[in-house]
Amino acid sequence: MSEMQNVYGELVFNKQIMNQKLSKDVYKKLLATIDKGEALDQSIAGEVAHAMKEWAIENGATHFTHWFQPQRGGTAQKHDAFLTYGEGEEIVERFSEGQLIQSEPDASSFPSGGIRSTFEARGYTAWDPTSPVFLLEARGTKTLVIPSVFLSWTGEVLDLKTPLLRSEHALNSAAIKLQKLLGNRTSKRIVVHAGPEQEYFLFAKELVETRPDLKICGRTLFGAEPAKGQQMDDHYFGSIKGKILNFMEDLDRELYRRGIPSKTRHNEVAPNQFEVAPIFQIANLAVDNNLQMMELIKNVADKYGLVAILHEKPMAGVNGSGKHYNWSLGDNSGVQYLRPSKSPLKNISFLMTIGAVLLGVKKFGGVLRASIADAGNDHRLGANEAPPAIMSIYLGEYLDELFNSIEGIGKITDKKVNEISLGVQNLPKIAKDYSDRNRTSPIAFTGNKFELRAVGSTHNCAEPGAVMNLLCAYGYDEIRTRIEVKQGEDVKNKALEVLKEVLKETKGVRFEGNGYAEEWHQEAEKRGLPNAKNTPQALELMFDKEVMKAFVDYNILSEREIKSKVEIKLEAYNNVKDIEYKMAIKIANTLIIPAILNQISETGGAATIVEGLGIADSAIKADVAELSKLYAGIKNGVKALEEFIVKAESEGDLHKQAHLYAEEGADTLAELRANVDAAEEIVADYFWPLASYQELLTEL
Ligand code: ADP
Ligand code: MG
């Protein structure tokens, strides 16, 4: 066995281990839940828990934890030892079915957006059997980790995983109904696949140590433009340097041990920026694995004296990091609905799925935008390096033309159906170079999947993932209803008649051109596409009546859950901004100002010496004057920011407060920054306390 195969999945309670450790009957029942989405037969939980504990202890674990995804981002855990008292006073190790199925962390500090305080309900976590338990390893200790959902006792959502699972149910039901109508007898259950590509930066730890902004906020608040930034484009796909390659190999190995099928690794566009992507998996699992991957990137980097920064925009003027969420769906029979095929029926499914996504994005593009809105992504979207904040779909030249021709057909006949199907069938052959794929589009069809490119690098993909499922479910239902009302013979012909309508109606969300161009912003406005420039604007889109209704009708979020979600996001946004502005003040006062004073002393001293020698040198004096001008500018900037914070903090309405932070606050910080960055250009390196952009961007 190869080294990779040797370690692959060794930290996962995978099917192989289950098969070994569980009785045949229990294994079969558990598989029915994992693979077929059947409700868990609770009578097996005791045996499953016991087997998990045995396996965990054999592998050196002492504790277990439910592992969940609070709305604040990241993951959460609270460890409990297996240790307990036995019948006598002896110490034994136990893990009961109750402990596996449900746990009650003292969760009062997790954001609930008012849900818990109103109802005084505590939160509980519940095992999600569709994502395998695994061992968390840290410096030789191991903990059994149980992927879980997190709900309030009144059953309301407190996490990000639950809405994703609910959206899969919604999509399942809509898709199967449409498949039945189209005459598909084999499709019983829908499978959603996802492959998130993860971007990140690596910086030398000793440099990051000098930058409280990067350390605490994940991004630099100051920094003069480097002489060499990313102008040369010499990093993208460049040869990977030794130390980085070692890091990447180590990372891959750790991913393999956790059963995460890491597939590609490469240098990204910006210097010090990299990407890792796994082979796609069931969406729920892919999302969980991406969360693990983000943590692992940071942990492994640490071993190499590096700091991994996952922030969406660590440095101004340098590309930020995103996450491409590749999304597709198919069914239990193995058919992929976004994969063109030889079979005309399957190609109808293909066309209906694209049609459904078009309808969905037209209706719910704003929600998709809201699902990827946060303080970090605000810096990135629309910054001509990432897709704009306008949600449009890129289909690629061939499919675009095919759709235009379908739209132009007078009457759909059997002959036309065959021609269209042939067109779909040829798609992969003709569109050989799909890989050009217009990087400026936020939602691109790339051959057999949609690639959502606007997700931020720190995000939990569960959120945009749930919205993709929701909008596709909505589109399927819309299409099915329209097919049903059409009078006439063949269902395929009816379906294509409906597609023709759909294509006409959804033209506005299709865009093949350059999403970075200013003209597109104007054009999008004419088309009535939402273009939320920042998080508070984006979150307002959640309150649209039809959006609320869809979330409720599809049983993904209730109205209260939506309101609480928005509240949590606004709170997080305001906190991030508040911390950034306060950090900027601290850095300016305690690091920048003293550096400028040092420089003024030095240059001023030199001026006195020169003057004492009877030399009239106005250049030195001018330098001192320039320094004191910047000094004054920074002092004023700090004062303005302090006054702004007082004003923002006294705003009682969260939404209004977020607008203040997003707009006035950002402008105030930008003014301070301009002076600090100008000072960096003329203060001696040995006085300047923060690692410069140039130093940060030096090859590792
Ligand atoms: P790139 O976009 O970097 O050229 P690929 O298109 O091969 O690379 O894949 C990017 C990501 O998309 C990978 O994580 C891959 O597993 C995932 N992916 C590929 N096919 C699908 C699919 N049908 N459904 C979901 N994800 C997919
Ligand atoms: Mg990529």
Side-chain angles (χ1 to χ4, degrees), residues 449-468:
K449 59 183 158 66
F450 277 99
E451 189 167 338
L452 189 59
R453 304 235 184 75
V455 186
S457 44
T458 59
H459 292 185
N460 182 329
C461 292
E463 288 210 86
V467 176
M468 284 304 286

Side-chain angles (χ1 to χ4, degrees), residues 213 216-222 311 313 375-376 379 573-587 641 645 661 666 669 672:
D213 49 358
I216 307 290
C217 308
R219 76 179 187 101
T220 56
L221 302 171
F222 303 114
H311 194 281
K313 189 76 179 175
H379 297 289
Y573 185 82
N574 295 350
N575 281 334
V576 168
K577 293 289 186 187
D578 192 56
I579 292 169
E580 285 185 359
Y581 298 151
K582 286 177 178 161
M583 178 58 73
I585 292 172
K586 269 190 206 300
I587 292 176
L641 204 47
I645 291 173
Y661 280 124
L669 174 60
L672 171 62

Side-chain angles (χ1 to χ4, degrees), residues 228-246:
K228 179 173 186 276
Q230 61 183 52
Q231 307 92 313
M232 312 268 290
D233 277 333
D234 50 357
H235 195 250
Y236 192 52
F237 285 180
S239 74
I240 304 173
K241 294 293 178 295
K243 182 173 181 176
I244 300 299
L245 197 53
N246 286 348

Side-chain angles (χ1 to χ4, degrees), residues 11 109 146 156 211 256 292 310 384 462 497:
L11 295 174
S109 302
I146 303 146
E156 279 160 317
R211 303 219 43 145
Y256 295 152
Q292 283 202 68
L310 270 67
N384 279 8
E497 287 290 351

Side-chain angles (χ1 to χ4, degrees), residues 327-353:
W327 171 93
S328 71
L329 76 167
D331 65 37
N332 55 300
S333 69
V335 176
Q336 293 295 318
Y337 295 158
L338 287 172
R339 184 170 295 159
S341 149
K342 285 215 164 67
S343 136
L345 180 63
K346 286 181 192 158
N347 285 340
I348 300 287
S349 277
F350 170 85
L351 293 168
M352 295 303 116
T353 305

Side-chain angles (χ1 to χ4, degrees), residues 197 266 268 275 324 439 451:
E197 304 166 50
H266 62 80
E268 257 301 330
E275 180 181 301
H324 292 177
R439 308 215 133 248
E451 189 167 338

Side-chain angles (χ1 to χ4, degrees), residues 9-14 18 52 55-56 59 61 63-69 75-77 82 127 131-137 142-148 161 254 257-260 285 288-289 291-293 295-296:
E10 70 177 16
L11 295 174
V12 185
F13 190 73
N14 56 24
M18 287 178 204
M52 284 174 178
W55 170 76
N59 283 284
H63 288 65
F64 67 93
T65 180
H66 279 224
W67 182 69
F68 56 101
Q69 302 166 19
T75 59
Q77 48 190 281
F82 293 123
W127 175 36
S131 181
V133 304
F134 60 93
L135 293 170
L136 181 77
E137 200 185 38
K142 291 209 183 95
T143 305
L144 178 68
V145 176
I146 303 146
S148 304
K161 187 194 255 275
E254 291 303 326
R257 295 179 69 215
R258 284 155 185 80
I260 302 174
L285 183 56
D288 285 2
N289 282 343
L291 290 166
Q292 283 202 68
M293 181 186 264
E295 287 177 15
L296 272 176

